[in-house]
Amino acid sequence: MPSQLSLVPPPAPRRPAAPALVVVAHGSRDPRALSTVSALLDRVRALRPDVPVHLGHIELNAPLLPDTLAALGDTEAVLVPLLLSRGYHVKQDIPEMAAASRAHTHLAAPLGPHPLLVDALQARLLEAGWGPTPRRSSAVVLAAAGSRDPDAKTDTARTAHLLAARLGVPVIPAYASAATPTVETAVRTLLARGRHKIALASYFTAPGRFATECAQKAPWIAAAPLGTHPSMAQLLLHRYDEALANAASRELASA
């Protein structure tokens, strides 16, 4: 007769802890930016409670990314830029900060371009009053921060193309700094084409100076920044999963 002890099932194997997700925000002097990003991270945590979620800023706000990475020690982490395109921060700042830390880091792609961003942009336009306006007379200016990096401009133009396909109207990307055209120039271009209902789509992750200045130049309606729209939380997790899958593929290839 088997002993009672042999009938006790062995303990289930422990699942390895999920790598940390470090959301890398730019930072802003506008207090609304930090509160918006914090609320967005709460949405991410609610979607994936098994994933430790942390915040690190490139500048202007605490915690700074090096401090966040130092607190993680030598654990595994995925750095997901809360940035909408490639540029200096994605190509230089974030990799250099990661390399200087003890953490075992994987670098994710920036959020854009991606259809989930278009979902959020469309929703913000609808909230602002975009509706069944005649397509022949309406258009959108996609207002972004701007960068001297040509890849950033390529990424923003791709998002504009995706949004135009979704809305069925022209969408011109415009920039608050470092690139052209400006919002004013884009508006004049659309007016010259006979587009008189011109909405501004705010291609910013959170409220701030650039978003406010661009919204003030809107000739009709101005949408709010992307903020805590559910698609933003989903996209952060998509970039996290994507980076881990890419890292696993590289390990297999080198084995």
Side-chain angles (χ1 to χ4, degrees), residues 83-91 110 112-113 142 144-160 173-175 177-180 203:
L83 301 169
L84 300 172
S85 61
R86 293 168 291 172
Y88 187 83
H89 294 312
V90 170
K91 295 179 180 180
L142 181 68
S147 169
R148 293 182 179 87
D149 191 311
D151 287 336
K153 199 166 185 178
T154 297
D155 291 345
T156 304
R158 176 61 181 158
T159 298
Y175 304 96
S177 70
T180 56
Y203 200 41

Side-chain angles (χ1 to χ4, degrees), residues 42-187:
D42 287 340
R43 279 188 175 272
V44 174
R45 294 184 182 102
L47 288 173
R48 294 278 285 276
D50 60 311
V51 175
V53 179
H54 304 271
L55 174 62
H57 292 94
I58 296 169
E59 59 182 357
L60 299 176
N61 291 118
L64 293 172
L65 179 57
D67 297 331
T68 297
L69 293 176
L72 289 174
D74 59 358
T75 58
E76 187 176 13
V78 179
L79 276 55
V80 182
L82 188 62
L83 301 169
L84 300 172
S85 61
R86 293 168 291 172
Y88 187 83
H89 294 312
V90 170
K91 295 179 180 180
Q92 297 292 328
D93 284 337
I94 297 174
E96 287 174 1
M97 292 177 190
S101 75
R102 292 194 302 122
H104 174 46
T105 57
H106 310 286
L107 303 182
L111 299 186
H114 196 277
L116 283 169
L117 288 176
V118 179
D119 292 345
L121 287 165
Q122 183 181 24
R124 293 298 187 225
L125 283 168
L126 291 170
E127 292 166 3
W130 181 270
T133 55
R135 289 187 178 182
R136 289 184 179 180
S137 61
S138 57
V140 173
V141 172
L142 181 68
S147 169
R148 293 182 179 87
D149 191 311
D151 287 336
K153 199 166 185 178
T154 297
D155 291 345
T156 304
R158 176 61 181 158
T159 298
H161 176 78
L162 293 172
L163 184 60
R166 178 76 61 86
L167 299 176
V169 301
V171 177
I172 293 183
Y175 304 96
S177 70
T180 56
T182 63
V183 171
E184 297 98 325
T185 301
V187 168

